Amino acid sequence: MWRKPCCVYLSFSNERLVFLTPTFGLSKFFKKLHTKKRRRRNVVESAKQPLQSLKLASHEVLERAQEKGRLKCAKCGGSRMFFCYTCCSPVGVSPQDVPRVKLPVKIDIIKHPNETDGKSTAIHAKILAPDDVNIYTYPCIPEYDKDKVVLVFPGPKAVTVQNMIQSLTERAQDPCEPKRKRFRGATLSDCPTHEEGEGAEQRGKEGGEGVECKALPLQKVVFIDSTWNQTNKISTDERLQDLLQVELKTRKTCFWRHQKGKPDTYLATIEAIYYFLKDFHELCLDRVYSGEYDNILFFYSYLHTVINKAKTAAGKK
């Protein structure tokens, strides 16, 4: 028997929705509404826990190392947990249990001399990607080819990762671009670097192409490792002035030592490295990102979890 449809009015998000079929139409509506709410909840949860969706190697080895407590580094004898930030080597963890990440481009990190090694996240990158990462302590800075190297640092002239390759290409083709000045000061041979293994770059050698970006002009990416209040000395150094600046404008930090007075888009060094690599993979290499560089946050994500749990237990969060 045919039944005359009736109108059902529902108020949702300040809009009046009309359904003429209360039997199956209304059930579809509630199902769709439930799906939308679940998606919103997932988005909120992922925003609260930004590191939860990473494809990481198992943290069981770090959990066991934490149970052992601090141990002496076999190389320098320093008391360390998880890794030695002086020797850039694992402590209490077998090197075979620590993931190795192959990067698509070489990375240099210029570390401020006053930056505390034990608080620096730059060391994570050197341990996890030893073949592709070098760390120099300022004022030691290698000589860079401005047409093949970029500096990841915010500024009025900074470009996005999406526009980076085009900007590099235009700079290389522009005859009016100023030539890089020679710096008279400490030579690279005087510079101590964090290097290890046969795969580490020769000291002072420029570039070396990433595996996946041979057709692109970019050969190396420079990051500054320092508190934000101390970055000016390095960022304004004349040896970095000619480099194209790249800014990660849409990313937000989840670092547990947030610096007062600074926006949440000011990232920890290891966060900046990760987000740059991810954007570079998607926007420059034009490939679907499937977690290729997630393990660069192997230590960072574990420490983030441990520290936030401790803060919660102490009632500070």
Side-chain angles (χ1 to χ4, degrees), residues 23-40:
T23 52
F24 61 89
L26 194 57
S27 62
K28 279 186 177 182
F29 165 73
F30 281 117
K31 185 176 181 180
K32 192 173 182 180
L33 179 61
H34 177 70
T35 302
K36 285 184 177 180
K37 285 185 176 180
R38 187 174 65 239
R39 285 176 181 171
R40 285 197 201 98

Side-chain angles (χ1 to χ4, degrees), residues 9-270:
Y9 296 94
L10 295 175
S11 178
F12 179 69
S13 299
N14 298 323
E15 294 181 3
R16 176 173 288 181
L17 305 180
V18 180
F19 291 86
L20 297 178
T21 52
T23 52
F24 61 89
L26 194 57
S27 62
K28 279 186 177 182
F29 165 73
F30 281 117
K31 185 176 181 180
K32 192 173 182 180
L33 179 61
H34 177 70
T35 302
K36 285 184 177 180
K37 285 185 176 180
R38 187 174 65 239
R39 285 176 181 171
R40 285 197 201 98
R41 187 164 56 247
N42 291 340
V43 168
V44 171
E45 288 300 318
S46 62
K48 291 180 180 178
Q49 301 176 331
L51 306 176
Q52 297 303 307
S53 60
L54 298 174
K55 296 180 180 178
L56 298 170
S58 174
H59 278 153
E60 289 182 8
V61 293
L62 298 182
E63 292 169 357
R64 291 196 295 268
Q66 187 177 3
E67 291 174 359
K68 297 176 185 176
R70 300 178 72 87
L71 300 173
K72 285 188 176 182
C73 171
K75 295 182 180 180
C76 69
S79 177
R80 307 285 189 260
M81 183 179 288
F82 305 133
F83 56 84
C84 178
Y85 46 76
T86 304
C87 306
C88 293
S89 58
V91 174
V93 179
S94 171
Q96 290 74 24
D97 292 331
V98 176
R100 278 213 171 191
V101 186
K102 183 60 183 173
L103 307 185
V105 65
K106 300 294 183 181
I107 287 178
D108 274 4
I109 300 172
I110 312 299
K111 176 182 170 294
H112 195 283
N114 294 336
E115 180 70 6
T116 305
D117 286 341
K119 295 182 178 180
S120 170
T121 61
I123 303 298
H124 302 183
K126 180 60 186 173
I127 298 174
L128 296 165
D131 295 341
D132 299 313
V133 176
N134 273 329
I135 301 177
Y136 299 90
T137 301
Y138 188 81
C140 296
I141 298 178
E143 292 183 3
Y144 294 123
D145 184 339
K146 67 179 180 63
D147 296 331
K148 299 178 180 179
V149 181
V150 299
L151 171 66
V152 177
F153 193 79
K157 296 182 179 180
V159 301
T160 63
V161 176
Q162 188 171 12
N163 297 327
M164 175 183 64
I165 298 301
Q166 181 182 350
S167 297
L168 276 179
T169 304
E170 291 174 352
R171 284 162 63 97
Q173 295 173 350
D174 186 357
C176 297
E177 276 291 325
K179 299 295 182 181
R180 175 174 42 82
K181 298 177 182 178
R182 296 285 296 182
F183 179 78
R184 295 181 180 180
T187 61
L188 202 59
S189 59
D190 301 324
C191 297
T193 64
H194 290 82
E195 297 178 348
E196 65 170 17
E198 297 179 359
E201 287 184 335
Q202 179 182 356
R203 185 173 299 180
K205 181 179 179 182
E206 174 59 47
E209 291 182 346
V211 192
E212 299 182 55
C213 59
K214 292 180 180 179
L216 298 179
L218 182 66
Q219 286 189 350
K220 183 172 287 188
V221 186
V222 180
F223 294 83
I224 296 174
D225 185 48
S226 168
T227 60
W228 283 99
N229 293 328
Q230 298 179 138
T231 54
N232 187 62
K233 186 175 182 179
I234 301 178
S235 64
T236 57
D237 189 287
E238 62 179 351
R239 291 166 290 179
L240 300 178
Q241 286 304 292
D242 290 340
L243 298 184
L244 177 69
Q245 285 185 228
V246 178
E247 185 173 0
L248 306 170
K249 299 180 180 180
T250 61
R251 305 298 190 176
K252 294 185 178 181
T253 185
C254 62
F255 193 37
W256 48 90
R257 291 193 199 95
H258 182 67
Q259 297 180 40
K260 292 182 179 180
K262 302 299 179 183
D264 56 6
T265 53
Y266 278 26
L267 308 173
T269 304
I270 196 66

Side-chain angles (χ1 to χ4, degrees), residues 50-51 53-57 101-104 212 251 270-298:
L51 306 176
S53 60
L54 298 174
K55 296 180 180 178
L56 298 170
V101 186
K102 183 60 183 173
L103 307 185
E212 299 182 55
R251 305 298 190 176
I270 196 66
E271 290 177 317
I273 291 173
Y274 169 72
Y275 286 126
F276 177 88
L277 292 171
K278 185 176 180 182
D279 287 349
F280 179 78
H281 189 89
E282 294 177 323
L283 303 174
C284 300
L285 299 181
D286 195 24
R287 299 189 178 186
V288 176
Y289 184 73
S290 302
E292 285 81 357
Y293 318 117
D294 283 7
N295 272 323
I296 206 73
L297 296 175
F298 178 70

